[in-house]
Amino acid sequence: MMCRLACVVGVSFILLAGRHGLTADEQYGAKRTNIEIGKHKGFVLQPSKAAESARPWVWYAPTIGSHPNKGNEWVLRKLLDQGFYVCGVNVGESYGSPAGRKIYSEFHQHVVREYKLESKARLVAQSRGGLMLYNWAAENPDKVRCIVGIYPVCDLRSYPGLNKAAGAYGMTPAELEKQLAQHNPIDRLEPLAKAGVPILHIHGSADAVVPLEKNSQIVLDRYTALGGKMKLIIVPGKGHAEIPEYFQEPRLVQILLDGGFPKASLR
């Protein structure tokens, strides 16, 4: 679904602390601390100089394979340079399931407590990371500053399909379909709108893997109808690929830095 670029890091030392195993590497020129949340591996990228405010941070998903990888470097380096932490945890192919959401809550609690980070995370949902982060955010809107989506999956029927997703939910496809409104991001936007969470998506008009119309477009239509603040950047003629048109877009950086939109930009 997403091209896999190897992220080469060198382990410099190992530190064990309580039940959370820690190892230190480097990524994007920042110290990377690899942590464990139960059996799930996560990471924290620490800026060379933390921001003087409330220690803002970005939560990236999905942390599967080598992601975040070289393609994410342009955006994440700019945030690290501004004193932001960058974090994530691998919950496997959870497709936004309750089990994955539970690990996400434990991860949020851990990094906020241990690294003294701002309680509200700035979410970066890439591709199927949309299912993971949106479903967690819908149940924790008070812990979300803003959401950025890079061609994010927002409808389980669109990807991976209910037949494939059902196993992660511990259900049959028919059972998941009956309960879909409880687990599908496009049906769970109201809590985020009520909390005033600003959203920015960037999506290609020719995306055949995660179709624009069934994902970002329907989120825009429903979110604005609920009174939420959202902008959608459509990249003409581009599909589901790791290309500069998506990954070197200054507006993604700006909303993450600001934690929202300037009032003038919403006119």
Side-chain angles (χ1 to χ4, degrees), residues 194-210:
K194 286 183 176 179
V197 175
I199 298 174
L200 174 64
H201 283 191
I202 185 166
H203 214 123
S205 65
D207 194 331
V209 178
V210 183

Side-chain angles (χ1 to χ4, degrees), residues 61-160:
T63 314
I64 295 175
S66 62
H67 290 87
N69 62 18
K70 184 66 177 177
N72 306 110
E73 183 170 5
W74 190 87
V75 168
L76 298 184
R77 264 192 183 268
K78 289 187 178 299
L79 296 164
L80 288 163
D81 289 346
Q82 293 297 317
F84 278 61
Y85 285 71
V86 177
C87 310
V89 63
N90 186 355
V91 292
E93 293 288 15
S94 72
Y95 302 124
S97 69
R101 294 174 223 165
K102 181 176 182 294
I103 299 301
Y104 266 24
S105 289
E106 292 178 12
F107 173 76
H108 177 274
Q109 181 182 40
H110 175 73
V111 296
V112 168
R113 181 183 68 242
E114 297 299 323
Y115 294 89
K116 305 297 187 290
L117 302 183
E118 181 182 16
S119 62
K120 290 190 175 185
R122 300 161 203 234
L123 310 184
V124 176
Q126 180 181 336
S127 195
R128 60 192 182 275
L131 295 172
M132 303 169 187
L133 283 175
Y134 263 105
N135 272 347
W136 180 83
E139 296 169 356
N140 298 274
D142 60 320
K143 298 180 178 67
V144 180
R145 179 70 63 193
C146 64
I147 301 174
V148 162
I150 303 172
Y151 45 67
V153 182
C154 300
D155 187 345
L156 281 161
R157 292 167 296 196
S158 170
Y159 182 91

Side-chain angles (χ1 to χ4, degrees), residues 5-52:
L5 302 175
C7 180
V8 180
V9 290
V11 176
S12 55
F13 64 87
I14 296 177
L15 171 66
L16 295 179
R19 73 183 185 92
H20 298 285
L22 305 178
T23 68
D25 304 331
E26 184 179 87
Q27 188 174 5
Y28 309 143
K31 176 184 175 183
R32 172 172 170 141
T33 301
N34 298 317
I35 65 175
E36 294 180 1
I37 306 297
K39 297 180 180 179
H40 298 269
K41 298 184 183 301
F43 72 91
V44 175
L45 299 185
Q46 185 172 336
S48 56
K49 184 178 180 181
E52 295 181 359

